[in-house]
Amino acid sequence: MTRNGTFCFCADGFEVGEDGTSCRDHDECAMYGTCSQTCTNTYGSYRCSCTEGYILQPDRISCKAKQDPGDSRPMLLIGGSDRIIITHLNGTGLQPLRSLSVNGTLALDFQRNQESVCWTLSTESSGQLRCAETRNLRGFTREQEIRTQQSLQHVEHMAIDWLTGNFYFVDTINDKIFACNHGGDTCVTILQLDLLNPKGIALDPLMG
């Protein structure tokens, strides 16, 4: 009861229905970020879970990659305007892997099954795609340039489909996303409508 009449409310996990008096289940999974990976709505509650290769943490929300005996420690690759560096997740052990001869927009991705790093370096006049093996993430070997059918001059970001090896590029000037096969000789535009200054892309090969 309130001074202006009655007010209905519901227990945790429920919400007031459209009639203003009954309670219905509240779908917590509809809110982004409820779970770090997979969310399953239940009556009056919800449950978080993780995809294969990850372990649910004590907070019952976040997931962390499994670390089996013998696995190398997870590392973070960072691409700057003049170099590619690597560090531990806590920020220690920072070391350069490769210096870049010219400044430009750098985008990179890691191919785990091939233990290689690929990156694009785009400048005002050109763009280039290069890949190199990086065994144990200690340095680059067998570096090579991959010439693509479409220009990489305005590429802002890239991602690699780790199942097919195809490259996906975000062109921020021409407002499009295009893909090239692993050899670069075949490229197709994936999306160009209703894009305005795109900046990034993420792939989920399992959804294809």
Side-chain angles (χ1 to χ4, degrees):
M1 296 293 297
T2 68
R3 297 175 63 180
N4 298 322
T6 58
F7 174 79
C8 297
F9 63 94
C10 304
D12 290 344
F14 296 88
E15 60 187 8
V16 178
E18 295 178 355
D19 59 6
T21 58
S22 61
C23 292
R24 64 186 181 190
D25 176 58
H26 172 64
D27 185 3
E28 294 86 354
C29 296
M31 181 180 298
Y32 178 79
T34 299
C35 298
S36 109
Q37 289 189 354
T38 304
C39 182
T40 303
N41 186 54
T42 61
Y43 186 70
S45 186
Y46 67 97
R47 182 176 65 255
C48 296
S49 58
C50 305
T51 57
E52 184 178 355
Y54 292 82
I55 302 174
L56 189 65
Q57 297 303 289
D59 61 7
R60 314 303 298 173
I61 295 175
S62 56
C63 298
K64 187 177 181 180
K66 291 181 180 178
Q67 189 83 25
D68 295 326
D71 286 352
S72 57
R73 294 177 61 186
M75 306 289 286
L76 181 65
L77 281 167
I78 304 173
S81 60
D82 60 348
R83 61 180 175 167
I84 299 173
I85 59 178
I86 190 170
T87 180
H88 296 294
L89 296 187
N90 61 4
T92 63
L94 186 71
Q95 65 180 37
L97 287 179
R98 189 188 189 283
S99 297
L100 304 175
S101 57
V102 295
N103 289 341
T105 301
L106 179 71
L108 61 81
D109 202 358
F110 182 67
Q111 287 183 293
R112 188 178 188 278
N113 57 345
Q114 298 182 10
E115 294 190 31
S116 65
V117 176
C118 295
W119 67 93
T120 60
L121 183 63
S122 60
T123 65
E124 293 182 356
S125 59
S126 65
Q128 192 178 68
L129 171 64
R130 303 188 70 87
C131 292
E133 293 183 1
T134 172
R135 304 294 180 185
N136 300 319
L137 296 174
R138 296 185 183 277
F140 288 166
T141 60
R142 302 181 65 180
E143 182 178 325
Q144 62 176 334
E145 180 184 359
I146 299 177
R147 299 185 180 276
T148 57
Q149 187 185 55
Q150 290 198 35
S151 171
L152 303 176
Q153 180 179 351
H154 304 300
V155 167
E156 179 86 10
H157 197 239
M158 67 167 287
I160 302 173
D161 181 343
W162 49 266
L163 288 181
T164 65
N166 294 336
F167 300 99
Y168 288 76
F169 303 99
V170 175
D171 187 325
T172 190
I173 298 298
N174 297 304
D175 294 333
K176 68 177 181 179
I177 296 174
F178 64 97
C180 299
N181 65 346
H182 63 278
D185 54 349
T186 301
C187 300
V188 295
T189 297
I190 302 297
L191 189 63
Q192 196 167 14
L193 296 175
D194 301 324
L195 281 181
L196 181 61
N197 197 23
K199 292 292 186 181
I201 185 174
L203 295 180
D204 185 356
L206 301 180
M207 297 294 291

